[in-house]
Amino acid sequence: MDSLEQLVQGQVLTESQKAELGQWMLSEPDRAAAFGLTPASVDTTIYQLAQLLPRIYPPVEVFWCGDCQISTSPLQLLWRVWMPLACQIAEARRKLNRPLIQGILGMQGAGKTTLTTVLQIVLEQLGYSCCCLSIDDLYKTYGERQQLQKEDPRLKWRGPPGTHDVDLGLQILDQVRANEANTQLQIPRFDKSAFGGQGDRSGFESVPTVDIVLFEGWFVGAQPISPEVLEQAPAPIDTPADRQFAIDMNRRLQDYLPLWDRLDRLMVLNLADYQLSKQWRKEAEHKAIAAGNAGMSDGEIDEFVDYFWKTLHPELFVKPLTTQEHGADLVITVNADHTLGDIYQPARRLDTA
């Protein structure tokens, strides 16, 4: 919208432009409700966001056109989603009066890295120190995972429940919540390229105590289900061995519940169709191969992605978080073209159904 371009330049909008912008912001009722927008509050929100936009947009644009390498402008996304979301998280932090831990669940390709990077930029512009922590950073070391694979050969790839150091995660999140002055957090970092792509912990990053932690991962916040459900599980959980693997992974998920208990909020980046994750992975590998780099064949990708769906199937472990009253606090739908679709609060949808 032209009015957003004017706001980036610090220009004042006319009353008719403000009215048009307000109508646009209220045009999707679920999204408006998720961010607390009402006809009575929209003018105040426009004023607040307009003050922020000129200083927030430049660093976001640098990231978007550099690391993100996407040519379309992020301006509308910033105004409609990222800034309202960051302001919502910041307000939750203010009310909590201690560091806040925001959980973010998203399958591969859902946009977790983009979201956490932009949120960190916006939150820091709002005056909040912010740290990103991935469930991948909590992987057990290469040596520990080699031993784990000897004990259970089914754990041939990192990723499923059981391949993470949950105690280390608890130690970090408890230290964050304690908010002790002059304390340095030791955040583990994981190098996926080590040991021929099998990966290993690369060390620890020293981070000062922070206001907000963005804790993301492909099953962050996922809850165990009744084992009986897995007797009629969807493909690719097809064989008795597949079902037993799924049952065992569901049981191991219990070990992660203390981690999820440390979350103050949970949002889900929900693919419009979970099969998109496999499609996008194939597209990325095709591009890599076309550029002369190593890449997996379509068959190898099918095997790789199916492995994760056999451990925690999206229909069984992600979908409930997007539809149930006690699921996620916020759901952001990711469409096939990577645009953002419906944004809503599951509990509110049930209340108004």
Side-chain angles (χ1 to χ4, degrees):
M1 297 182 73
D2 291 341
S3 56
L4 296 184
E5 295 286 355
Q6 289 179 232
L7 290 175
V8 168
Q9 302 301 321
Q11 298 176 22
V12 178
L13 301 183
T14 65
E15 290 303 314
S16 63
Q17 285 178 310
K18 290 179 187 176
E20 182 184 4
L21 188 55
Q23 289 176 354
W24 180 53
M25 292 167 68
L26 293 168
S27 62
E28 298 170 28
D30 282 345
R31 186 191 64 83
F35 293 136
L37 282 172
T38 66
S41 69
V42 71
D43 286 346
T44 301
T45 301
I46 289 173
Y47 175 79
Q48 292 170 338
L49 296 183
Q51 303 306 303
L52 294 170
L53 189 61
R55 74 171 190 262
I56 287 175
Y57 183 70
V60 170
E61 186 181 35
V62 168
F63 160 70
W64 194 251
C65 298
D67 292 345
C68 230
Q69 297 182 338
I70 298 176
S71 58
T72 56
S73 170
L75 189 51
Q76 290 193 18
L77 268 175
L78 186 58
W79 183 270
R80 286 169 65 84
V81 182
W82 294 329
M83 283 204 300
L85 177 57
C87 289
Q88 187 178 72
I89 294 171
E91 177 64 11
R93 164 64 181 87
R94 187 188 66 78
K95 290 181 177 178
L96 196 59
N97 202 31
R98 65 156 172 79
L100 178 142
I101 300 170
Q102 171 70 66
I104 302 171
L105 181 151
M107 294 172 59
Q108 187 177 49
K112 298 187 297 297
T113 301
T114 297
L115 177 67
T116 54
T117 301
V118 173
L119 282 179
Q120 188 169 18
I121 291 170
V122 179
L123 286 165
E124 289 178 351
Q125 289 291 333
L126 290 170
Y128 292 90
S129 57
C130 189
C131 171
C132 296
L133 174 68
S134 172
I135 192 78
D136 293 357
D137 292 322
L138 300 180
Y139 279 133
K140 294 180 176 180
T141 65
Y142 174 74
E144 290 168 337
R145 285 183 290 110
Q146 289 293 102
Q147 180 60 39
L148 188 64
Q149 188 175 349
K150 289 180 182 178
E151 297 167 2
D152 187 348
R154 297 175 302 177
L155 296 175
K156 56 183 178 178
W157 282 313
R158 64 176 187 266
T163 60
H164 304 87
D165 189 335
V166 174
D167 288 338
L168 178 59
L170 290 172
Q171 176 186 326
I172 294 165
L173 297 186
D174 284 343
Q175 191 176 358
V176 168
R177 288 162 66 106
N179 196 27
E180 295 176 358
N182 302 318
T183 300
Q184 293 283 318
L185 301 171
Q186 299 301 315
I187 306 296
R189 297 306 184 196
F190 192 78
D191 179 5
K192 294 181 180 180
S193 66
F195 291 99
Q198 295 189 60
D200 197 10
R201 189 175 299 157
S202 59
F204 289 80
E205 178 185 355
S206 185
V207 176
T209 51
V210 294
D211 296 309
I212 296 164
V213 172
L214 303 175
F215 181 27
E216 58 87 0
W218 74 280
F219 68 95
V220 166
Q223 300 293 312
I225 61 175
S226 171
E228 286 75 21
V229 174
L230 294 166
E231 294 301 322
Q232 301 294 326
I237 305 173
D238 299 324
T239 68
D242 292 338
R243 282 188 284 277
Q244 187 58 54
F245 187 35
I247 289 169
D248 292 344
M249 292 298 98
N250 181 53
R251 185 172 60 249
R252 283 185 186 246
L253 189 55
Q254 294 277 355
D255 298 337
Y256 291 71
L257 296 185
L259 266 181
W260 311 158
D261 287 342
R262 269 65 173 182
L263 301 178
D264 296 300
R265 294 164 50 89
L266 176 66
M267 76 175 80
V268 175
L269 291 173
N270 186 44
L271 303 189
D273 180 348
Y274 73 86
Q275 298 276 356
L276 289 168
S277 183
K278 184 182 287 187
Q279 174 188 322
W280 291 340
R281 182 60 187 261
K282 288 180 179 178
E283 290 171 358
E285 294 293 326
H286 293 168
K287 288 180 181 178
I289 293 170
N293 300 315
M296 290 192 289
S297 68
D298 285 358
E300 289 171 330
I301 294 168
D302 285 337
E303 181 185 4
F304 181 74
V305 176
D306 284 352
Y307 175 79
F308 286 88
W309 291 350
K310 288 178 181 181
T311 61
L312 299 175
H313 198 287
E315 282 288 305
L316 303 179
F317 292 93
V318 177
K319 189 175 181 178
L321 295 175
T322 69
T323 56
Q324 295 180 359
E325 182 178 2
H326 300 293
D329 300 291
L330 183 72
V331 176
I332 300 176
T333 306
V334 183
N335 296 322
D337 60 358
H338 297 280
T339 60
L340 300 185
D342 290 348
I343 298 174
Y344 62 93
Q345 297 168 311
R348 185 182 181 279
R349 271 197 170 180
L350 290 170
D351 289 342
T352 57

